[in-house]
């Protein structure tokens, strides 16, 4: 995959309307939401490496039911054409389990597997920032849309 990943908080009405959109509409809507001040987190290209670090598998093979995989790539995948990108959502009521799994993880005990210590520290920072983003979304009663484009 190797493209840019981003997480955006959305309310219930916005999520409902987005469920019927195609990829181009989804991307346009997310851009408008960010411009309008919706909270977002930009993980850039590190989402793939973070998923591999947390699960041992590529993000192109998400692990159903694994809260650490879902933390990175979302829970519910939108049906869009592959060339339009990747979009998934994590609903508000699913955030608590994901947050709990993230809080229980000792990032320092993960197998380095590949890369350098600098990459490992960068991934740890992204992990902690994503956890903070999810905690804010839970507290605000929001859903989260993950997009890759």
């Amino acid at each position: 995959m190797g493209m840019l990943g981003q997480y955006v908080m959305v309310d219930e009405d916005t999520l409902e309307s987005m469920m019927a959109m195609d990829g181009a509409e989804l991307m346009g809507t997310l851009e408008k939401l960010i411009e309008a001040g919706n909270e977002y987190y930009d993980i850039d290209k590190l989402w793939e490496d973070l998923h591999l670090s947390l699960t041992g598998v590529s993000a192109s093979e998400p692990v159903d039911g694994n809260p650490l995989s879902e933390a990175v790539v979302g829970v519910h995948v939108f049906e869009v054409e592959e060339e339009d990108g990747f979009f998934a959502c994590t609903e508000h009521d699913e955030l608590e389990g994901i947050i709990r799994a993230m809080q229980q993880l000792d990032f320092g005990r993960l197998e380095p597997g590949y890369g350098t210590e600098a990459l490992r520290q960068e991934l740890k920072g992204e992990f902690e920032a994503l956890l903070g983003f999810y905690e804010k979304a839970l507290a605000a009663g929001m859903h989260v849309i993950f997009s890759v484009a």
Side-chain angles (χ1 to χ4, degrees):
M1 290 186 182
M3 296 162 62
L4 303 180
Q6 189 171 65
Y7 303 85
V8 180
M9 289 185 206
V10 298
D11 61 25
E12 182 69 25
D13 291 340
T14 303
L15 178 60
E16 287 293 320
S17 69
M18 292 178 82
M19 298 299 253
M21 295 179 184
D22 66 23
E25 289 175 299
L26 285 168
M27 189 53 70
T29 299
L30 290 174
E31 289 170 2
K32 288 176 187 167
L33 290 169
I34 291 168
E35 289 170 9
N38 278 49
E39 189 98 25
Y40 72 97
Y41 177 65
D42 190 350
I43 195 166
D44 201 10
K45 292 183 179 182
L46 289 176
W47 61 275
E48 172 76 47
D49 290 330
L50 183 59
H51 190 275
L52 182 61
S53 226
L54 295 175
T55 67
V57 298
S58 167
S60 63
E61 302 169 18
V63 184
D64 284 337
N66 179 323
L68 296 176
S69 177
E70 292 171 345
V72 178
V73 296
V75 178
H76 309 285
V77 177
F78 287 78
E79 297 293 327
V80 299
E81 296 297 322
E82 195 171 314
E83 62 269 7
D84 288 337
F86 176 85
F87 301 88
C89 75
T90 302
E91 295 183 45
H92 177 260
D93 63 355
E94 296 164 322
L95 289 172
E96 192 171 335
I98 288 170
I99 290 168
R100 188 171 31 257
M102 291 176 81
Q103 288 171 334
Q104 292 172 354
L105 178 74
D106 180 356
F107 203 90
R109 295 186 61 112
L110 292 178
E111 285 295 317
Y114 66 96
T116 64
E117 183 59 26
L119 175 61
R120 184 182 176 94
Q121 289 306 312
E122 193 173 4
L123 290 173
K124 182 179 182 190
E126 295 291 349
F127 176 83
E128 291 168 354
L130 184 57
L131 174 58
F133 179 81
Y134 280 139
E135 289 169 337
K136 278 186 188 177
L138 180 66
M142 302 290 269
H143 307 290
V144 175
I145 302 285
F146 173 61
S147 67
V148 177

